Amino acid sequence: MVAFGLILATVHVTYYWALQRLGVGPGVTVQFLGPVLVLVWMAVAQKRPVPSPLWLAGLAALTGTVMVTRAWDVGSLDLLGVVAGLASAVTFGAYLLVGEHLTKRLSPVTLLTYGFLVAAAFWAIAQPLWDFPTDLSTRAWIGLVWVGVGGTMIPFLATMAALKRASAGVVGVVASIVPVVAAVSAWLFLSQSLLAVQIVGGLFVVAAVAVVQRWGVAELEGPLDSVR
């Protein structure tokens, strides 16, 4: 549980560091190496059979994410940004794997409650509360609440609920739909346009999710402990 809380604390900060130093496209893409790392871990470390359709879906989802985010559109290759991005990919993968393990014993609500308490305690030590800026505008506070609840707690709760029913590899590939949803939302609500390459990339990710649903889930059913 402590490890899970520390993962929650680090997966966010490394992700935001990557976004800050690499830009949104490259930063998001590097983190979504995480689902592929999960498949590798399942096959190599856990000796779990990963069906071929799931490998194909994982690679297709990663390719589609690169296209949707236009990851090649980076001003300069920032070494610290790349390290932060890779760290976010590793911690994202660890979050899925440890979450899968713990949801066999705990409910998603219980798991996230204790996990976020550990994460909060970590940050209270790493960056004491009196060091946080308080002179923020009302709009900024509303944005922070939305990111904390709508962009973190609710999606993480949904992810833990999914991990209770499917493997970390399956959930990780399905989670790759996030950049596609973000791109479509920006197109619908922020009047941003999508290039042809982004549309094709989105179709790649949707196809990957469909492959997982059709062929990947059933072959990975079964308790994790029985594999171990």
Side-chain angles (χ1 to χ4, degrees), residues 2-35:
V2 171
F4 183 73
L6 294 177
I7 289 169
L8 286 177
T10 53
V11 69
H12 289 93
V13 71
T14 52
Y15 176 61
Y16 288 127
W17 281 340
L19 293 182
Q20 182 184 48
R21 303 189 74 95
L22 297 178
V24 174
V28 169
T29 303
V30 176
Q31 190 191 51
F32 277 93
L33 287 169

Side-chain angles (χ1 to χ4, degrees), residues 132-205:
F132 276 80
T134 56
D135 55 340
L136 301 176
S137 65
T138 302
R139 183 176 181 181
W141 280 112
I142 293 174
L144 287 172
V145 171
W146 168 243
V147 169
V149 178
T152 303
M153 179 57 75
I154 293 176
F156 276 43
L157 184 61
T159 302
M160 290 300 108
L163 287 171
K164 205 169 183 66
R165 295 162 175 79
S167 74
V170 168
V171 175
V173 173
V174 174
S176 301
I177 200 74
V178 169
V180 179
V181 173
V184 173
S185 299
W187 173 56
L188 291 175
F189 302 112
L190 302 178
S191 300
Q192 295 186 12
S193 59
L194 294 178
L195 301 177
V197 66
Q198 293 175 295
I199 296 174
V200 173
L203 294 176
F204 264 61
V205 177

Side-chain angles (χ1 to χ4, degrees), residues 2 5-6 8-9 113-129 132:
V2 171
L6 294 177
L8 286 177
T113 298
Y114 285 113
F116 276 108
L117 283 175
V118 173
F122 169 82
W123 283 116
I125 296 172
Q127 186 171 354
L129 294 177
F132 276 80

Side-chain angles (χ1 to χ4, degrees), residues 80-132:
L80 291 178
V82 172
V83 171
L86 292 175
S88 72
V90 171
T91 51
F92 182 41
Y95 157 73
L96 293 172
L97 289 164
V98 177
E100 179 189 21
H101 176 72
L102 291 176
T103 52
K104 307 301 179 185
R105 297 162 174 80
L106 300 170
S107 72
V109 173
T110 300
L111 176 56
L112 282 181
T113 298
Y114 285 113
F116 276 108
L117 283 175
V118 173
F122 169 82
W123 283 116
I125 296 172
Q127 186 171 354
L129 294 177
W130 53 83
D131 288 342
F132 276 80

